[in-house]
C-alpha cells in the first residue's frame, strides 16, 4: 500500500518525512485497526525500517545493482 501511495508522486524522493509518516500511520491504523495501537514517529523503529524498505522498493533495479544496495 505504501509503495502504491509513493508511486503517485512524480518524484518519490521529494516526499516530506512528515507526509510519509502520516501515510504510514493511516495504513497502520487501517491494517491493525484497534488490535495493535501504535503511534509512528519520525525517530521510531517502524518509521526507520519501513522508510529503508521503501528506498529499496522505489529505487530502480539498475541503481540498486550499481550501488550494491
Amino acid at each position: 500500500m505504501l509503495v502504491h501511495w509513493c508511486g503517485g508522486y512524480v518524484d518519490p524522493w521529494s516526499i516530506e518525512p512528515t507526509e510519509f509518516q502520516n501515510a504510514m500511520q493511516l495504513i497502520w491504523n487501517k491494517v491493525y485497526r484497534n488490535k495493535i495501537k501504535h503511534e509512528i514517529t519520525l525517530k521510531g523503529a517502524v518509521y526507520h525500517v519501513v522508510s529503508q524498505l521503501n528506498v529499496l522498493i522505489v529505487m530502480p533495479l539498475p541503481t540498486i545493482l550499481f550501488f550494491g544496495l
Side-chain angles (χ1 to χ4, degrees):
M1 282 193 263
L2 189 61
V3 173
H4 181 71
W5 178 82
C6 291
Y9 280 80
V10 173
D11 181 9
W13 305 112
S14 67
I15 300 171
E16 291 294 322
T18 53
E19 196 171 348
F20 191 65
Q21 172 194 9
N22 292 336
M24 289 173 59
Q25 187 69 58
L26 289 172
I27 292 168
W28 180 280
N29 294 344
K30 186 73 170 176
V31 170
Y32 293 106
R33 295 184 182 91
N34 290 324
K35 296 176 186 171
I36 303 174
K37 293 188 182 230
H38 179 73
E39 182 180 342
I40 296 176
T41 63
L42 293 177
K43 294 187 180 195
V46 173
Y47 181 87
H48 179 71
V49 170
V50 174
S51 62
Q52 295 304 309
L53 291 174
N54 192 51
V55 167
L56 294 177
I57 292 168
V58 173
M59 189 178 294
L61 184 59
T63 305
I64 293 172
L65 296 175
F66 179 76
F67 288 107
L69 298 175

